Amino acid sequence: MAFSEPILHVDMDAFFVEVERLRDPSLRGRPVVVGGTGPRAVVAAASYEVRPFGVRSAMPMSAARRACPGLIVVPPDRSAYSEASERLFELFREFTPLVEGLSVDEAFLDVRGLRHHFGDPGEIGTAIRQRIRDELSLPASVGVAASKFVAKLASERAKPDGLLWVRVGDQQAFLDELDVSELWGVGVATKAALERLGVETVADLGSVPPGLLERAVGESHAAHLRDLAAGHDPRPVEPDQRARSISVEHTFDRDLSSTDEIRSALAGHADEVTRRLRRAGLRARTVTLKVRDSEFHTVTRSETLAGSVDVSTAVFKTVMRLLERVELGAGRKIRLLGIGLSGLEARDRPEQMVAGTDRRWESVDRALDEVRDRFGGSAVGRAGARPDAG
DNA sequence: TCTGGGGTCCTAGGACCC
DNA sequence: TCTGGGGTCCTAGGACCC
């Protein structure tokens, strides 16, 4: 007898905050957020203690401090979260190889193969939560359902530190009373469009006449929403999704205007993003420059190269070309610069060198990688833009 | 309130080829 | 000389998620 609800969604509660509390137990029970301390920082993760004050992730830190007097702000430590994440995913894979990560702290597990070891999927969810608690000392919530998207909604409802199993027979009633904004793919824009149609709950969605929804949100989005509202989500749990893009971006504490500052910021970004590319064993064909100006207007410029690259100078030269195609409005400065790499392919593939790429830089980059890996990312700086770049 | 950084996916227009 | 339809790739922007 197979499980009717074989999909688990495991989602950690206030993950970054709880990892910080492991290192500093004095933070337990106190109003903590993880986030930057600069003038433009936002909240990366909010503890449950600050949520009654209206503090949420993505909120500007200045607003969070106003909303919650006595707020404790802990600067993020990405490497600590990555390490905890790796242990978490190892634990998942001890239950089943069918693990699909959604982010550092959440995953879908297809547990249909475990029916000989457990009575039902609720027991599996309970066992996973217990092991995370015992071995990582972290709280996790679990949703159990017949499909990925219902499981995800269930884990959301189970928070904090709980488990919710939505039986197939109860699924439509569970969905009907949800606010549409809880559906996957409904953000501010779609929510506003749906409100104009008088749609508030998932049940309302089902009563919108054919054609109307399609005109409001587009055909494919409408079909998607109708499917979700009816609980149709046949997507399987797919392990080992490979990355489609790698990017680095940074918002400056004060807007930049000098060419030197812009060049050196982009050189740093190119170093960082290609280091991560090489570490993943990948090369990239498409380079995208992202520029946000002082009015918060964002543009991107991209170029697909004849062959793939993984060297910092090649990426840097390309973004400098792309930068020439960005026109800032009068008097505007640069708030954010980013570099994205896409069109990724495995490094082992036969190399297609781009004309003008100097192979000598490859060994320089690899040497820098080695030093940074050993001593940390800021161990080696660059004196300035490379002589041949630009 | 004045808006981070890491991603995914979709759309739409244009170039180009057959 | 003017014209078709389909397919694929590229580019830019936007919505959305954690």
Side-chain angles (χ1 to χ4, degrees):
Chain A
M1 187 57 191
F3 299 143
S4 299
E5 297 89 10
I7 312 291
L8 266 55
H9 180 253
V10 185
D11 197 356
M12 305 301 285
D13 304 318
F15 183 57
F16 297 173
V17 171
E18 295 300 337
V19 172
E20 295 297 341
R21 283 174 170 165
L22 287 181
R23 300 197 292 186
D24 180 359
S26 77
L27 297 173
R28 293 201 181 126
R30 300 177 69 197
V32 178
V33 295
V34 170
T37 50
R40 289 169 170 176
V42 300
V43 174
S47 62
Y48 282 86
E49 286 80 357
V50 303
R51 298 193 190 189
F53 296 90
V55 174
R56 299 281 184 276
S57 48
M59 177 186 252
M61 195 62 80
S62 53
R65 285 183 194 278
R66 272 194 297 275
C68 181
L71 186 73
I72 299 167
V73 180
V74 179
D77 178 352
R78 300 260 162 205
S79 63
Y81 313 143
S82 298
E83 201 176 299
S85 176
E86 276 172 34
R87 292 177 61 200
L88 180 67
F89 277 76
E90 278 168 24
L91 194 154
F92 291 156
R93 290 192 193 93
E94 289 180 26
F95 282 84
T96 171
L98 297 178
V99 176
E100 177 181 341
L102 277 184
S103 70
V104 285
D105 74 329
E106 61 176 312
F108 289 115
L109 279 69
D110 184 330
V111 298
R112 74 188 69 224
L114 302 185
R115 64 181 179 279
H116 298 303
H117 304 79
F118 295 88
D120 61 50
E123 288 177 19
I124 302 172
T126 301
I128 291 173
R129 274 167 32 79
Q130 192 58 49
R131 285 200 52 194
I132 296 172
R133 172 68 70 189
D134 292 345
E135 294 171 33
L136 300 179
S137 303
L138 292 170
S141 295
V142 171
V144 181
S147 65
K148 292 209 284 193
F149 113 93
V150 179
K152 187 162 162 62
L153 290 170
S155 71
E156 194 59 38
R157 281 298 166 102
K159 282 176 173 295
D161 203 15
L163 180 146
L164 179 62
W165 178 2
V166 177
R167 268 83 168 175
V168 168
D170 302 329
Q171 180 172 297
Q172 196 60 53
F174 172 77
L175 292 174
D176 278 346
E177 64 184 34
L178 295 178
D179 191 284
V180 274
S181 60
E182 293 189 67
L183 291 184
W184 235 350
V186 179
V188 281
T190 308
K191 166 108 174 129
L194 292 174
E195 262 169 19
R196 287 193 287 275
L197 296 179
V199 172
E200 281 174 21
T201 66
V202 171
D204 294 339
L205 254 185
S207 57
V208 179
L212 215 55
L213 189 61
E214 285 69 12
R215 275 198 295 280
V217 302
E219 209 162 306
S220 106
H221 205 40
H224 175 71
L225 291 178
R226 287 193 195 280
D227 280 347
L228 294 186
H232 295 317
D233 177 23
R235 296 167 307 159
V237 172
E238 293 185 84
D240 296 323
Q241 302 272 6
R242 53 173 247 269
R244 300 190 181 278
S245 67
I246 294 177
S247 65
V248 166
E249 63 181 60
H250 183 66
T251 296
F252 305 104
D253 285 349
R254 53 166 192 85
D255 298 341
L256 303 187
S257 53
S258 100
T259 314
D260 280 355
E261 285 178 317
I262 292 164
R263 277 177 73 95
S264 103
L266 287 173
H269 282 13
D271 279 357
E272 172 64 20
V273 76
T274 55
R275 180 169 72 100
R276 283 170 40 198
L277 183 75
R278 292 187 295 270
R279 188 184 273 178
L282 298 170
R283 298 168 61 85
R285 271 196 69 207
T286 302
V287 178
T288 302
L289 169 69
K290 177 173 172 180
V291 178
R292 177 171 293 153
D293 70 19
S294 35
E295 303 297 309
F296 214 77
H297 180 240
T298 308
V299 295
T300 61
R301 292 291 180 271
S302 67
E303 185 174 328
T304 298
L305 304 168
S308 64
V309 297
D310 72 351
V311 177
S312 184
T313 40
V315 169
F316 178 68
K317 281 185 195 175
T318 308
V319 294
M320 290 308 288
R321 262 201 308 277
L322 291 169
L323 184 63
E324 291 171 14
R325 294 173 37 210
V326 175
E327 287 186 27
L328 284 183
R332 295 196 186 176
K333 298 180 177 181
I334 290 178
R335 177 189 181 94
L336 170 149
L337 286 171
I339 299 178
L341 302 176
S342 54
L344 305 181
E345 49 193 46
R347 189 162 54 208
D348 332 328
R349 285 178 47 137
E351 293 197 16
Q352 289 199 312
M353 295 300 296
V354 176
T357 302
D358 187 336
R359 281 204 85 121
R360 286 173 304 167
W361 290 118
E362 285 187 34
S363 54
V364 174
D365 278 335
R366 294 197 209 292
L368 285 176
D369 286 349
E370 217 171 278
V371 176
R372 290 197 181 101
D373 284 347
R374 215 178 298 168
F375 302 107
S378 57
V380 191
R382 217 182 261 286
R386 288 165 175 178
D388 73 336

